[in-house]
Amino acid sequence: MTSSRLNRSLCSAVLGSVLLMGGPLWAATIDLAGVKLEDKVTVAGKPLVLNGAGIRYKAVFKVYTAGLYLEKRTDTPDGVYDMAGPKRMTITMLRDIDSAELGKLFTRGMEDNMEKGSFTRLVPGVMRMSQVFTNHKTLKAGENFVLDWIPGTGTVLTVKGVQEGEPFKEPEFFEALMRIWLGPKPADWALKDALLGIAKK
């Protein structure tokens, strides 16, 4: 194992251990590569806790931080998909990114982690989401976007603090998005473990 991969694994292990501790030892915020994530947020009037958080790497470069919020913690993808109630994924850039390219990568990540028929049914929503990112052209370091699942409303996409259009109504759409990071072919295996609060042995 290279030193960079070892360091990444160690960081994920430490972060996973912290997130699994829970209880009064938690700080109000967690600092991840200079990005502060609250340990608790409220979505649609429901309190959520930070299930896990980590950094997306491309080679040795840090691309973005990701934080997953749920009503209660779980360490399995199915636990995330099947959990009732609101959910949130927050992404904060650590470097300037071509947002159109990011949208394409997300689309590919959804497609790679779903059956073809299931993905085909979501194509209209996928195209609309890709267009949102294309319209922004660039996401700069420090800027973020948020994906909220709100029961009865749908998936709400907020970019740079502004909600983008109407919610995506299909319940399957939020799960498809989560599969980008939690599916069998995740964007980053270390990030998948971090989001699930899994400490490396």
Side-chain angles (χ1 to χ4, degrees), residues 24-94:
L25 294 179
W26 271 53
T29 61
I30 291 173
D31 189 304
L32 196 58
V35 175
K36 296 188 184 303
L37 293 97
E38 299 291 334
D39 64 351
K40 296 181 179 69
V41 298
T42 300
V43 175
K46 297 286 188 179
L48 307 183
V49 297
L50 184 60
N51 192 76
I55 298 171
R56 167 73 167 106
Y57 281 85
K58 187 172 184 179
V60 298
F61 301 105
K62 297 175 181 178
V63 183
Y64 58 75
T65 67
L68 175 62
Y69 292 88
L70 305 170
E71 285 195 295
K72 59 182 180 180
R73 298 186 187 95
T74 182
D75 61 0
T76 67
D78 285 341
V80 176
Y81 307 149
D82 297 340
M83 190 175 298
K87 306 169 191 178
R88 168 172 288 181
M89 177 73 87
T90 178
I91 307 289
T92 302
M93 299 299 119
L94 296 176

Side-chain angles (χ1 to χ4, degrees), residues 153-165:
T153 297
T155 300
V156 177
L157 171 60
T158 302
V159 182
K160 305 177 190 178
V162 178
Q163 180 177 327
E164 295 287 347

Side-chain angles (χ1 to χ4, degrees), residues 14-22 26 30 50-54 73 194-195 197:
V14 172
L15 181 60
S17 298
V18 169
L19 295 179
L20 287 172
M21 289 168 70
W26 271 53
I30 291 173
L50 184 60
N51 192 76
R73 298 186 187 95
L195 290 170

Side-chain angles (χ1 to χ4, degrees), residues 133-179:
F133 284 107
T134 297
N135 291 344
H136 279 276
K137 297 183 180 178
T138 304
L139 287 171
K140 297 184 180 298
E143 294 181 336
N144 79 331
F145 66 91
V146 177
L147 298 162
D148 285 331
W149 167 249
I150 302 175
T153 297
T155 300
V156 177
L157 171 60
T158 302
V159 182
K160 305 177 190 178
V162 178
Q163 180 177 327
E164 295 287 347
E166 294 297 315
F168 300 82
K169 300 293 186 180
E170 306 89 344
E172 301 84 3
F173 193 76
F174 189 82
E175 179 178 327
L177 287 168
M178 292 303 96
R179 286 179 177 274

